[in-house]
Amino acid sequence: MTLTFEDAAEKIKKLKSSPSNDELLEIYALYKQATTGDNSTSKPGLLDPKGRAKWNAWDAKKGTSQDQANELYVVEAEKLIAKYGI
């Protein structure tokens, strides 16, 4: 059974344990690309390493269509749900 984007986004918030930083960055980047499209914000400064990591992850998705990012997000969310449980 494939989840909808909205269902996947809700279930990700309810994971029993926290995914790795790389997994979190990937799911964040796909979510932003699916909901907003290409990153057009300015890069956070050096004093914001978490913001920079999130910005870089999202920026790496540039050129991915919102529909494709939506599908990739659902696939990634299903992997995390299977791995970490809800």
Side-chain angles (χ1 to χ4, degrees):
M1 175 186 108
T2 301
L3 296 170
T4 66
F5 180 82
E6 291 77 15
D7 287 343
E10 277 305 307
K11 290 182 188 254
I12 282 295
K13 296 175 190 171
K14 299 174 183 170
L15 294 176
K16 288 182 180 171
S17 57
S18 185
S20 72
N21 283 340
D22 287 344
E23 290 167 327
L24 288 171
L25 285 171
E26 180 67 12
I27 204 79
Y28 168 82
L30 288 169
Y31 181 86
K32 291 295 281 182
Q33 189 69 22
T35 58
T36 307
D38 285 348
N39 183 352
S40 62
T41 63
S42 55
K43 190 172 190 173
L46 290 172
L47 298 178
D48 183 7
K50 184 178 178 182
R52 285 176 72 88
K54 290 169 80 174
W55 188 94
N56 286 332
W58 179 19
D59 200 57
K61 303 295 179 201
K62 197 170 267 187
T64 303
S65 74
Q66 286 182 267
D67 287 342
Q68 186 180 13
N70 186 317
E71 292 170 21
L72 292 170
Y73 178 89
V74 170
V75 168
E76 192 65 25
E78 287 174 338
K79 287 183 199 170
L80 294 179
I81 290 164
K83 186 174 180 180
Y84 296 100
I86 52 172

